[in-house]
Amino acid sequence: MNFDRKSVLAASEKLAIDLAKRIGDHKVINDSDILEGLSRDESHCEPIMPDFAVRATCEEDVVATLEEALRFGVPVTPRAAGTGKAGGAIPYFGGVVLDVSKMTKIVGIDPMNRTALVEPGCITGSFQAAVEAEGLFYPPDPNSWETCSLGGNVAHNAGGPRAFKYGVTREYVRGIDMVLM
């Protein structure tokens, strides 16, 4: 997809104002120091500054951001922990970074059905500890398991050393509530 940078920048300014009214101005981030941190991940890819970011704390924030970004024609780059090595969290087209790193809840664990419901920013290591406390085992163990998020693991189909025996993330996902533009 090709985005005209000047048009995206103008639309991003309007989008930021609109989203501040809709989800709260404290969730719309324009601070250049924070945006600098959101311009990169742990890959060797060149950082690219987003026009602004949204710090989502709930599904409604995600829905609002995607609805309004579609309306304004602004590209969105989703992001959680930013520990990826593939450049997936870098906002190549500018626009808005949709930061879900505050959505960290383990909504529930059902040991009987061996299922859990988690938010995308849930840290893999925290999730592993929580399911182990219930007598269960979650095998995917990416190298950054202490800091990476389950949402990123799903996006990149993360594995780790135990993948040879137990498989990668896709073998442990039974469903996803997904918001699309």
Side-chain angles (χ1 to χ4, degrees):
M1 189 171 248
N2 226 347
F3 290 100
D4 170 46
R5 188 66 194 116
K6 194 173 182 180
S7 298
V8 168
L9 189 56
S12 288
E13 291 173 9
K14 294 175 187 171
L15 173 61
I17 293 166
D18 190 67
L19 281 172
K21 292 175 188 171
R22 184 164 170 186
I23 64 174
D25 60 355
H26 63 287
K27 294 181 181 180
V28 176
I29 310 299
N30 287 304
D31 182 288
S32 61
D33 291 334
I34 295 171
L35 294 178
E36 171 67 28
L38 297 174
S39 71
R40 62 177 42 107
D41 59 12
E42 291 186 14
S43 70
H44 295 289
C45 298
E46 192 70 31
I48 298 174
M49 286 288 274
D51 299 328
F52 72 100
V54 170
R55 284 259 165 87
T57 59
C58 60
E59 184 179 342
E60 291 77 21
D61 294 343
V62 174
V63 169
T65 302
L66 294 180
E67 283 178 353
E68 297 303 319
L70 177 64
R71 186 165 70 88
F72 282 94
V74 174
V76 177
T77 303
R79 175 194 182 91
T83 59
K85 305 278 188 193
I90 296 174
Y92 288 102
F93 302 106
V96 59
V97 166
L98 178 55
D99 179 1
V100 296
S101 65
K102 300 296 184 199
M103 297 176 65
T104 61
K105 291 184 192 105
I106 298 172
V107 179
I109 298 172
D110 181 351
M112 184 67 102
N113 290 309
R114 296 186 202 166
T115 60
L117 181 61
V118 299
E119 292 182 331
C122 180
I123 301 301
T124 303
S126 300
F127 179 66
Q128 288 172 328
V131 298
E132 285 172 12
E134 298 289 335
L136 300 172
F137 175 54
Y138 180 71
D141 63 332
N143 289 335
S144 58
W145 63 272
E146 295 175 297
T147 56
C148 67
S149 69
L150 290 170
N153 293 175
V154 170
H156 291 273
N157 195 27
R162 295 191 290 218
F164 292 105
K165 183 173 183 179
Y166 299 105
V168 292
T169 300
R170 74 171 164 250
E171 273 82 55
Y172 299 92
V173 177
R174 296 183 75 185
I176 296 175
D177 287 339
M178 189 179 336
V179 180
L180 301 174
M181 288 181 85

